[in-house]
Amino acid sequence: MTISVAVADDQALVRVGFCGIVAATPGLTVVGEAANGAEAVQIARSAKPDVLLMDVRMPVLNGIEATRQITSSAESSAVRVIILTTFDLDDYVFGALRAGASGFLLKDTIPEDLITAIRVVAAGEALLAPSVTRRLISEFARTPALGMPGATIPGLPAAAADVSAGEGGIRPVAASAPTRAGKVTGLLTDRECEVLRLVAAGMSNGEIADHLRISPATAKTHVAHLLTKLDARDRVQLVIIAYQAGLAPLPS
């Protein structure tokens, strides 16, 4: 099954390069290009790519706000956004993930890893660059409620979030950690809590299946139930919820 991809980057050479890599890969096809965030939103709604590679810093509308508009609109909510940036510690990344991005990669990622990321995200998984995963988890774990679609823990007060286009900051209002943990565990079975912890540890469905000695199909079903019960868009949000609820240890 062909995966459709769109590329948004204000640098023409970078955009052409990414498009060339995608177009040369069997099973992938380019369905659109955008030179700014506003064009990216338009392409997401018209072409409806499976995956959109999104630059962070672009004119007219930056990648964070474009991602938020894409993931929050019924016309484009199925589009998976992978954020591409040259800054591995860029604060924009936090805002982009809060806005609903499904993945994050550095622009110096080798072509093979880029293609793998596209396929992983298109399959409904989530992907973060290994060099920043720990910092991202730590950052989100300190944010008791999130300003991105579906990421607040059901039954808890919504965050009074301020996710600005330029900063990606957030000012949360949320309950205590024990209350958050109780709300989450109250919604899940013991096995689902166990699966959630393994998702937070970065395990794939196959690895979860091996660890729990269950079938891959059963592991996939458990993850699907977690997404539904916790109203999460993807595995990125499941990881964040697990850390916020205190169901997974903070990285050291």
Side-chain angles (χ1 to χ4, degrees):
M1 190 171 182
T2 300
I3 298 172
S4 58
V5 181
V7 179
D9 197 296
D10 62 330
Q11 298 182 47
L13 288 178
V14 173
R15 194 167 63 248
V16 169
F18 283 133
C19 287
I21 293 171
V22 172
T25 303
L28 271 61
T29 184
V30 178
V31 296
E33 297 181 40
N36 58 61
E39 291 181 5
V41 173
Q42 293 174 355
I43 287 175
R45 293 175 178 174
S46 59
K48 293 180 171 57
D50 296 311
V51 177
L52 197 158
L53 303 180
M54 180 82 75
D55 186 22
V56 175
R57 301 187 180 188
M58 292 186 291
V60 184
L61 192 68
N62 67 41
I64 296 176
E65 180 59 21
T67 298
R68 187 194 64 76
Q69 291 187 21
I70 290 169
T71 60
S72 63
S73 170
E75 296 177 82
S76 53
S77 60
V79 176
R80 301 279 177 172
V81 177
I82 296 178
I83 297 296
L84 295 168
T85 180
T86 55
F87 306 99
D88 62 342
L89 298 180
D90 195 334
D91 286 341
Y92 281 93
V93 174
F94 302 134
L97 289 179
R98 290 189 184 104
S102 295
F104 167 78
L105 287 175
L106 304 183
K107 283 188 176 179
D108 61 2
T109 297
I110 62 175
E112 290 81 1
D113 288 347
L114 174 64
I115 297 305
T116 297
I118 291 172
R119 288 175 172 153
V120 166
V121 169
E125 301 284 338
L127 184 141
L128 301 175
S131 64
V132 297
T133 300
R134 283 180 176 271
R135 174 171 174 177
L136 288 171
I137 289 173
S138 296
E139 176 69 15
F140 278 118
R142 295 186 182 93
T143 306
L146 302 177
M148 61 182 179
T152 54
I153 298 171
L156 292 185
D162 176 17
V163 184
S164 63
E167 299 175 2
I170 187 167
R171 292 192 293 273
V173 176
S176 65
T179 302
R180 294 198 304 275
K183 288 290 185 180
V184 171
T185 56
L187 292 169
L188 308 177
T189 65
D190 290 343
R191 177 47 61 93
E192 287 168 347
C193 287
E194 190 174 12
V195 171
L196 180 59
R197 291 187 181 96
L198 297 178
V199 169
M203 289 190 184
S204 66
N205 288 348
E207 291 169 334
I208 291 172
D210 290 340
H211 183 83
L212 298 179
R213 296 185 179 182
I214 58 178
S215 71
T218 300
K220 184 176 181 180
T221 298
H222 283 313
V223 172
H225 288 167
L226 288 173
L227 292 169
T228 299
K229 289 185 176 182
L230 298 178
D231 191 23
R233 174 182 169 84
D234 53 33
R235 295 171 83 99
V236 167
Q237 293 188 355
L238 288 180
V239 171
I240 294 167
I241 290 172
Y243 276 92
Q244 289 183 326
L247 298 179
L250 279 172
S252 56

